[in-house]
């Protein structure tokens, strides 16, 4: 998440420790932020592909998160041009007990295609970021082998300052 414009310090920290905040736990999220988070989550798999030209099963939980986010963009939040401004989300909870989809098989295929396109585009983007920062990735890997645990200072020493302004968190309390 270090190289993404649509992240907060919390998102950077949670990305580093491997736990992303669930999308349903947030009130308002911009599509760009969702895409940045998907790209970051695919970073490990992208690094495997770029560095070793192979991928493994190690990205399963990341793939689950990314798939859920992409599916939410398309089917819940209406954030897909092809499917349009429509939601298939049922806030009443009634759909949990219904075994049929609220759309046709043709629409299901279109939804699957759009979800796949979103994920693949972010994977390609992640691979590009890994390629363009490969030297820094190697330095980071070496530091991790030396120290096992690294901190923000280590990241700044290796990656440099973040190329975007830090998001400011307003901690004022209103009565």
């Amino acid at each position: 998440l270090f190289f993404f414009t649509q992240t907060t310090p919390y998102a950077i920290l949670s990305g580093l420790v491997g736990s992303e905040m669930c999308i349903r736990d947030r009130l308002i999220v911009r599509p760009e932020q969702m895409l940045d988070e998907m790209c970051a989550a695919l970073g490990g798999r992208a690094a495997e592909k770029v560095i070793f030209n192979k991928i493994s099963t190690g990205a399963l939980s990341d793939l689950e998160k990314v798939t859920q986010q992409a599916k939410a963009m398309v089917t819940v939040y209406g954030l897909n041009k092809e499917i349009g401004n429509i939601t298939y989300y049922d806030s009443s909870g009634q759909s949990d007990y219904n075994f049929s989809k609220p759309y046709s098989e043709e629409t299901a295929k279109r939804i699957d295609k759009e979800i796949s396109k979103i994920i693949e585009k972010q994977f390609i983007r992640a691979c590009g970021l890994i390629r363009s920062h490969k030297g820094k990735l190697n330095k980071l890997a070496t530091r991790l082998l030396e120290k096992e645990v690294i901190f923000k200072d280590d990241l700044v020493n290796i990656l440099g300052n973040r190329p975007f302004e830090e998001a400011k968190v307003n901690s004022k309390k209103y009565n």
Side-chain angles (χ1 to χ4, degrees), residues 1-8 11-20 32-48 59 61-63 65-66 69 118-119 121-127 129-130 137 162:
L1 293 171
F2 185 83
F3 296 104
F4 302 114
T5 59
Q6 303 297 321
T7 57
T8 63
I12 292 168
L13 179 61
S14 65
L16 291 174
V17 297
S19 64
E20 289 293 326
E32 298 84 6
Q33 183 178 352
M34 293 173 79
L35 294 172
D36 280 356
E37 290 172 359
M38 283 186 249
C39 182
L42 292 167
R45 177 165 274 211
E48 287 180 330
S61 65
D62 295 330
L63 289 172
K65 287 181 214 171
V66 167
Q69 279 188 306
I118 290 168
I119 295 168
K121 185 174 181 178
Q122 295 314 306
F123 178 72
I124 291 167
R125 183 176 164 216
C127 288
L129 281 166
I130 296 293
L137 176 65
R162 198 163 176 241

Side-chain angles (χ1 to χ4, degrees), residues 110-145:
R110 288 177 47 223
I111 288 170
D112 288 345
K113 181 179 177 183
E114 291 304 306
I115 291 169
S116 183
K117 280 173 36 180
I118 290 168
I119 295 168
E120 194 58 28
K121 185 174 181 178
Q122 295 314 306
F123 178 72
I124 291 167
R125 183 176 164 216
C127 288
L129 281 166
I130 296 293
R131 278 189 206 93
S132 66
H133 297 282
K134 193 173 181 179
K136 292 177 181 180
L137 176 65
N138 289 332
K139 287 180 185 177
L140 185 60
T142 300
R143 180 69 52 90
L144 281 166
L145 288 171

Side-chain angles (χ1 to χ4, degrees), residues 20-118:
E20 289 293 326
M21 195 186 311
C22 241
I23 196 157
R24 66 180 173 271
D25 294 337
R26 293 183 265 183
L27 298 176
I28 297 175
V29 178
R30 292 178 308 279
E32 298 84 6
Q33 183 178 352
M34 293 173 79
L35 294 172
D36 280 356
E37 290 172 359
M38 283 186 249
C39 182
L42 292 167
R45 177 165 274 211
E48 287 180 330
K49 180 68 175 163
V50 170
I51 302 300
F52 304 114
N53 198 28
K54 294 180 181 181
I55 56 174
S56 72
T57 60
L60 177 60
S61 65
D62 295 330
L63 289 172
E64 286 177 319
K65 287 181 214 171
V66 167
T67 302
Q68 287 173 353
Q69 279 188 306
K71 183 177 179 182
M73 287 181 79
V74 175
T75 64
V76 176
Y77 300 118
L79 297 174
N80 180 267
K81 290 179 185 175
E82 179 67 28
I83 303 301
N85 294 315
I86 189 168
T87 185
Y88 296 105
Y89 176 69
D90 180 6
S91 62
S92 72
Q94 297 294 323
S95 65
D96 291 342
Y97 305 106
N98 189 350
F99 291 102
S100 65
K101 296 176 194 155
Y103 42 81
S104 69
E105 201 55 42
E106 180 184 323
T107 300
K109 287 178 184 176
R110 288 177 47 223
I111 288 170
D112 288 345
K113 181 179 177 183
E114 291 304 306
I115 291 169
S116 183
K117 280 173 36 180
I118 290 168

Side-chain angles (χ1 to χ4, degrees), residues 141-151 153-154 157:
T142 300
R143 180 69 52 90
L144 281 166
L145 288 171
E146 295 168 356
K147 292 178 73 174
E148 287 189 41
V149 176
I150 60 173
F151 299 97
D153 290 343
D154 297 304
N157 287 336

